[in-house]
C-alpha cells in the first residue's frame, strides 16, 4: 500500500517540476512575441539556424540579388521586429521556402528570408504579421 502514495507523490513532483520549467520560458523563446523596437511595441522574433561563425545578411529587397543593407548582419539569437512579409527568392538552405520578412532593428530595416527566423509555421504567423 505504501507504493501507491509514493507513485502519486512522484507523479505530482514530476508534474510540478515540468510546470516550473515551462514557466521559466522567456518571451525570446517564443516563436513570435511582443517587444519594443525604438520605443514602439511590435511583433518580434529571433534569428536562428545560422552556421557558427557565419551571419544572416539583411537585403534591400526580398531576394539575394538585392543590395546588402549596410551594417545589416545578424547572428543566432538577435532579436528583430517583424514589419511585414512577402515572397521572393528561396532560402539558401531550402530553395522552396520563398517567404521573406521585412525586419526592423530600430536603426535600420531590411529583408531576410523567414527560413532563418524563429517565427514558426507560416499558417500561424501569416495571421499575426501583415503582408507587405
Amino acid at each position: 500500500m505504501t507504493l501507491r502514495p509514493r507513485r502519486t507523490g512522484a507523479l505530482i513532483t514530476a508534474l510540478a517540476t515540468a510546470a516550473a520549467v515551462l514557466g521559466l520560458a522567456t518571451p525570446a523563446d517564443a516563436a513570435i512575441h511582443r517587444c519594443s523596437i525604438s520605443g514602439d511595441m511590435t511583433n518580434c522574433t529571433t534569428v536562428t539556424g545560422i552556421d557558427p561563425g557565419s551571419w544572416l545578411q539583411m537585403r534591400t529587397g526580398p531576394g539575394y540579388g538585392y543590395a546588402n543593407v549596410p551594417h545589416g548582419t545578424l547572428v543566432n539569437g538577435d532579436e528583430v521586429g517583424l514589419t511585414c512579409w512577402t515572397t521572393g527568392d528561396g532560402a539558401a538552405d531550402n530553395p522552396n521556402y520563398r517567404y521573406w520578412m521585412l525586419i526592423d532593428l530600430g536603426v535600420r530595416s531590411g529583408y531576410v528570408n523567414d527560413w532563418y527566423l524563429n517565427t514558426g509555421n507560416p499558417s500561424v504567423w501569416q495571421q499575426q504579421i501583415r503582408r507587405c
Side-chain angles (χ1 to χ4, degrees), residues 56-82:
L56 178 62
Q57 180 65 55
M58 294 169 57
R59 305 282 180 167
T60 59
Y64 298 107
Y66 289 89
N68 293 346
V69 171
H71 308 288
T73 57
L74 305 164
V75 295
N76 288 332
D78 284 350
E79 186 172 59
V80 299
L82 302 171

Side-chain angles (χ1 to χ4, degrees), residues 73-104:
T73 57
L74 305 164
V75 295
N76 288 332
D78 284 350
E79 186 172 59
V80 299
L82 302 171
T83 303
C84 60
W85 67 272
T86 189
T87 55
D89 292 347
D93 294 325
N94 183 350
N96 295 321
Y97 197 84
R98 305 179 70 79
Y99 295 109
W100 287 71
M101 292 282 182
L102 177 57
I103 61 169
D104 182 10

Side-chain angles (χ1 to χ4, degrees), residues 5 9-10 13 33 46-47 68 89 95 109 128:
T13 301
H33 57 275
T46 54
V47 174
N68 293 346
D89 292 347
S109 63
Q128 300 172 12

